[in-house]
Amino acid sequence: MATSALLAVAAGCSAAGGSSSAPASPSPSYEAPPVTTPSTAAPATDTRQAALAALPPALRNRIPQFPPAPAPTKVTLPAGNAAGWFSRVPTDQKIAFITIDDGWVKHPQALRLLQAANVPTTLFLEVNAIKDNPAYFKALESAGATIEDHTISHPNLKGKSYAFQKSEICGGADRLAAYYGRRPVLFRPPGGTHDATTLRVVKDCGMKAAFYWKETTDHGVVFYQEGKTVKPGDIILMHFRPRFPDDFLAVLNAIHKAGLTPARLEDYIP
């Protein structure tokens, strides 16, 4: 299979248009744990140790440890009426970025894995995928995830009118703000497909930049666009899928093998 085709399969977000759909079998039931207030919250180290203890050894033993991410250096965004567009953050720092899309499968181990890894992630959430259980992602937010925009219904935006794209992009940001109390500042177009109108709408909707990726993962395998290792500044794409633990651990170990540390994408955008 050609590399581009393999990457398209691995990415999973359809570039052919139309809404993404729920998995054939329902997600496991999930109830978000109570969120502690800042004054009573346990230190991150204690949360990590508790999460590690709660995971089965087959998962716990595959989680690498990372040094702290360096102080971020902001990118330069383009002047004018369009949002920035990045598949890699231009930096020499030894960092990479974990991004997770959609939200259809709400795996019961995701929260513990994020807590145990104790690394930042960015969740590009599709409203239609998460509206049945927004509390699930609120819990992930408390574990270091930042929630960003991925439209309402996951359409192919390329070639669509300004009004159509604004409805999906601004509408998604508005709904996520209502769920989580913070309006997204970053955007990922479904399937990565976009045009000049998309980037203009993103900026008009109050967001700063939109993102593609350099690596994807599926079924616990990382697929590379360039070479066979994660490079500094790379943006890695995951999805909320049935094999979330394998995908997340594959990404963590690919970053660790490359001598990099996960960093927060939002910290690099001015």
Side-chain angles (χ1 to χ4, degrees):
M1 182 182 293
T3 301
S4 60
L6 188 59
L7 286 167
V9 170
C13 280
S14 172
S19 301
S20 57
S21 56
S25 58
S27 304
S29 59
Y30 179 87
E31 291 185 5
V35 178
T36 56
T37 63
S39 61
T40 60
T45 300
D46 292 348
T47 300
R48 181 178 188 272
Q49 292 303 320
L52 284 168
L55 287 170
L59 298 180
R60 179 171 65 244
N61 296 336
R62 293 159 62 192
I63 298 175
Q65 292 192 47
F66 297 94
T73 302
K74 305 286 188 183
V75 303
T76 300
L77 294 176
N81 64 355
W85 175 254
F86 300 93
S87 56
R88 172 185 288 136
V89 170
T91 181
D92 293 327
Q93 293 181 327
K94 292 186 175 183
I95 57 167
F97 303 96
I98 301 172
T99 66
I100 314 175
D101 281 14
D102 297 344
W104 286 109
V105 175
K106 301 162 183 68
H107 198 285
Q109 295 285 17
L111 175 61
R112 293 302 182 207
L113 284 166
L114 264 64
Q115 291 172 329
N118 193 31
V119 298
T121 58
T122 296
L123 315 183
F124 288 102
L125 299 184
E126 174 197 343
V127 170
N128 283 353
I130 64 110
K131 64 184 181 182
D132 65 321
N133 191 356
Y136 175 91
F137 301 94
K138 185 67 176 177
L140 301 187
E141 190 178 40
S142 74
T146 305
I147 292 171
E148 304 290 1
D149 188 14
H150 196 46
T151 73
I152 295 174
S153 66
H154 207 272
N156 181 351
L157 295 173
K158 187 174 182 179
K160 298 297 194 300
S161 69
Y162 180 96
F164 177 91
Q165 296 200 42
K166 183 177 181 181
S167 176
E168 283 284 343
I169 297 170
C170 288
D174 292 343
R175 294 278 292 277
L176 293 172
Y179 284 139
Y180 302 111
R182 171 191 172 274
R183 198 170 191 278
V185 297
L186 307 181
F187 176 72
R188 173 171 281 148
T193 59
H194 70 290
D195 55 20
T197 300
T198 309
L199 298 182
R200 183 159 59 95
V201 170
V202 170
K203 188 162 187 178
D204 289 349
C205 289
M207 287 173 278
K208 300 175 179 180
F211 296 88
Y212 196 65
W213 53 83
K214 285 295 184 181
E215 290 85 27
T216 64
T217 184
D218 192 17
H219 287 77
V221 178
V222 177
F223 300 89
Y224 299 88
Q225 290 183 8
E226 301 173 4
K228 293 294 181 182
T229 188
V230 182
K231 296 177 174 60
D234 277 4
I235 297 167
I236 305 171
L237 170 65
M238 288 180 52
H239 291 83
F240 287 97
R241 288 176 169 154
R243 288 185 62 176
F244 182 95
D246 289 329
D247 288 348
F248 186 61
L249 292 169
V251 166
L252 291 178
N253 282 284
I255 295 171
H256 190 263
K257 182 179 179 181
L260 307 178
T261 293
R264 187 179 306 282
L265 186 56
E266 290 75 8
D267 290 346
Y268 285 76
I269 308 301

